[in-house]
Amino acid sequence: MSYFVIYDGNCNLCVTSVQLLENLDQGQLFRYAPMQDEATIKRWGITPQDCELGMILIDADAPDRRWQGSAAAEEIGRLLPLGSVFVDAYRALPGVKWMGDQVYEQIRDNRYTIFGKRSSTYKSVYCVDGSCSTAKNDAL
């Protein structure tokens, strides 16, 4: 089982999060594509307008099965080792999920102002189509 993470490759926070996930997972469960890779996202029927609603997680075995925004972040967390314990607790606490959803939306809508924008799009070495470079991208 594997998943595709569609992220904003120009957002410093998004790229840092992808790099953390890359280091934890080492390409075992997750593959990545920046939202700026229009040819790749178009294969799944994803538009630039869809991307405005936040990161997207796609089940590679069942591409119609998708999560977006805070739901994608939660599902990624749930899929990590022992992550389901924390995600289940987060979801069970009254009002915390609602607050998390609101915080996600604020960060999503103001990510460049708060965290800055990269001068070039980050492309993961664990890309969805296998044509990624073997060298790591430059740091921020």
Side-chain angles (χ1 to χ4, degrees):
M1 187 176 282
S2 62
Y3 296 85
F4 302 136
V5 178
I6 312 302
Y7 65 97
D8 184 344
N10 293 338
C11 164
N12 285 330
L13 173 65
C14 307
V15 168
T16 300
S17 298
V18 164
Q19 290 171 332
L20 175 65
L21 195 53
E22 288 172 334
N23 286 327
L24 288 171
D25 180 61
Q26 297 291 303
Q28 297 299 306
L29 189 59
F30 300 105
R31 297 290 175 169
Y32 309 89
M35 294 175 176
Q36 291 76 15
D37 184 349
E38 292 180 24
T40 298
I41 66 171
K42 189 176 181 181
R43 288 191 312 200
W44 294 301
I46 298 170
T47 67
Q49 293 77 18
D50 295 329
C51 293
E52 290 176 16
L53 299 175
M55 66 186 293
I56 301 168
L57 179 67
I58 301 172
D59 183 332
D61 297 325
D64 289 338
R65 196 167 158 216
R66 301 173 180 204
W67 300 262
Q68 186 157 21
S70 60
E74 290 172 24
E75 188 63 17
I76 290 169
R78 192 187 68 72
L79 291 165
L80 292 172
L82 300 175
S84 63
V85 172
F86 297 103
V87 172
D88 291 345
Y90 163 81
R91 289 176 175 166
L93 293 169
V96 175
K97 174 157 175 35
W98 177 85
M99 188 174 15
D101 292 345
Q102 301 308 305
V103 169
Y104 181 92
E105 288 177 15
Q106 288 300 311
I107 291 173
R108 174 198 68 201
D109 295 344
N110 299 289
R111 64 190 177 273
Y112 297 141
T113 301
I114 299 169
F115 299 100
K117 186 173 182 178
R118 295 174 54 89
S119 59
S120 62
T121 301
Y122 177 81
K123 296 179 182 170
S124 173
V125 295
Y126 304 108
C127 63
V128 298
D129 62 6
S131 66
C132 356
S133 75
T134 55
K136 286 276 187 188
N137 290 267
D138 59 323
L140 299 175

